[in-house]
Amino acid sequence: MDMGADIRRPLGGSPPPDNPDIKRTAFLLDVDGTILDIAATPSGVVVSQSLRTTLKRLLEESDQGVAFVSGRTIQDLDHLFTPLNYPSIGGHGAEMRVTVGGPIMKRYRAPLTESLRRQLCLLVTVDRRILVEDKSYSIAVHYRLALEQEAFLRNKVAAIVSADLAGNVEVLHGKAVIEIKSAPFTKGLAVRELMTHPPFAGRSPIFIGDDTTDESAFAVMPDFNGMGFAVGRRVAGTVHCFPAPSDVRRWLERLSGGEESRPR
């Protein structure tokens, strides 16, 4: 977890709106650590049936104004949230789908070099608990099961990247993960593009994210009269912080008219 890049503030802040104009709002949602609880491995996350129902209802109530903004590929997101293929930004902005079930646009094709991929994949030989995930547009080095390796991995990845003179590479430090991706694309740039397409154009976005990889998306919210909400810790540029993904799920359920919105 990258402690240096975040501004530490108490949880909370301005409360999230209870009754936003859903049809004029774009709900932009990071996935891991935001609407899903983080698991020991990327494949270990659980999408509950109640969350599927909430998202489907919110998609309908908002006239399809819901999109995922994730480091995962869109193919992976589709697998997680089947049967609906949601509007999505995947690969930290490398690909995009602007409508439900629409075509996936490959926004950037510049790959990481084979030499860089090979060197990063060799990190698994250091400790079998380290997981190197090749996401095509980026490579994620997960060390949630080997937290004591954090300093070594930070230094080693920095050395590998600095030696790879052929690539224009950005390193993102997240929650027990180091992401290495091509520098030209970011979530923030992709959100800017998404907001020019129907049904998102002209709406005010709410972006919810939990990690340093989401900061570029938080940064563009004011340009669209939008708001950023963090999860787990306050981050610069956000107006509210949900304590945990479960709180995000409950808020989305209330907005969509689910069980949480009904009188007890």
Side-chain angles (χ1 to χ4, degrees):
M1 184 178 195
D2 185 18
M3 305 293 285
D6 304 314
I7 291 181
R8 298 292 166 175
R9 298 176 185 172
L11 299 184
S14 302
D18 284 330
N19 296 294
D21 188 336
I22 290 182
K23 295 187 185 299
R24 294 186 178 181
T25 302
F27 296 92
L28 310 181
L29 309 172
D30 176 49
V31 175
D32 295 272
T34 295
I35 59 174
L36 299 185
D37 297 309
I38 291 178
T41 64
S43 62
V45 297
V46 175
V47 181
S48 67
Q49 186 56 49
S50 62
L51 177 59
R52 294 177 193 274
T53 300
T54 291
L55 292 173
K56 184 175 185 293
R57 191 165 48 232
L58 185 62
L59 191 73
E60 293 168 350
E61 293 294 325
S62 66
D63 292 338
Q64 300 194 356
V66 179
F68 298 135
V69 183
S70 177
R72 290 178 183 263
T73 64
I74 293 179
Q75 182 180 14
D76 194 10
L77 294 171
D78 288 349
H79 176 72
L80 282 175
F81 293 95
T82 187
L84 280 182
N85 298 330
Y86 287 85
S88 300
I89 290 169
H92 296 287
E95 55 183 20
M96 181 184 300
R97 179 170 58 216
V98 300
T99 57
V100 175
I104 298 174
M105 299 180 288
K106 309 292 185 178
R107 302 177 66 248
Y108 294 95
R109 298 182 182 274
L112 300 174
T113 67
E114 287 305 314
S115 173
L116 181 63
R117 291 180 186 277
R118 185 167 57 253
Q119 291 297 314
L120 292 170
C121 286
L122 285 174
L123 291 174
V124 299
T125 63
V126 174
D127 189 321
R128 61 184 178 83
R129 297 172 298 167
I130 296 170
L131 172 65
V132 178
E133 180 188 14
D134 191 334
K135 300 194 264 186
S136 181
Y137 305 106
S138 66
I139 291 180
V141 180
H142 300 271
Y143 54 93
R144 181 164 297 279
L145 300 177
L147 294 176
E148 71 277 11
Q149 299 285 7
E150 178 178 7
F152 166 80
L153 289 172
R154 281 174 174 258
N155 292 333
K156 188 63 176 177
V157 168
I160 292 171
V161 169
S162 64
D164 186 65
L165 302 179
N168 183 13
V169 175
E170 180 181 13
V171 178
L172 301 173
H173 296 280
K175 294 178 177 177
V177 62
I178 304 172
E179 294 252 10
I180 304 93
K181 71 176 187 65
S182 297
F185 53 87
T186 68
K187 287 184 178 182
L189 289 173
V191 165
R192 282 189 183 279
E193 182 176 338
L194 180 71
M195 294 302 297
T196 68
H197 294 275
F200 302 97
R203 298 185 183 223
S204 296
I206 291 176
F207 174 70
I208 312 178
D210 75 307
D211 212 346
T212 54
T213 59
D214 300 313
E215 289 179 355
S216 63
F218 289 134
V220 305
M221 289 297 101
D223 297 341
F224 299 95
N225 194 33
M227 295 182 288
F229 298 154
V231 183
R233 54 200 167 83
R234 286 297 303 274
V235 179
T238 62
V239 299
H240 177 74
C241 181
F242 292 98
S246 57
D247 299 285
V248 179
R249 294 192 292 267
R250 281 192 290 269
W251 182 67
L252 294 175
E253 187 176 18
R254 286 197 298 272
L255 291 186
S256 67
E259 291 292 334
E260 284 288 330
S261 67
R262 300 174 187 173
R264 302 271 178 174

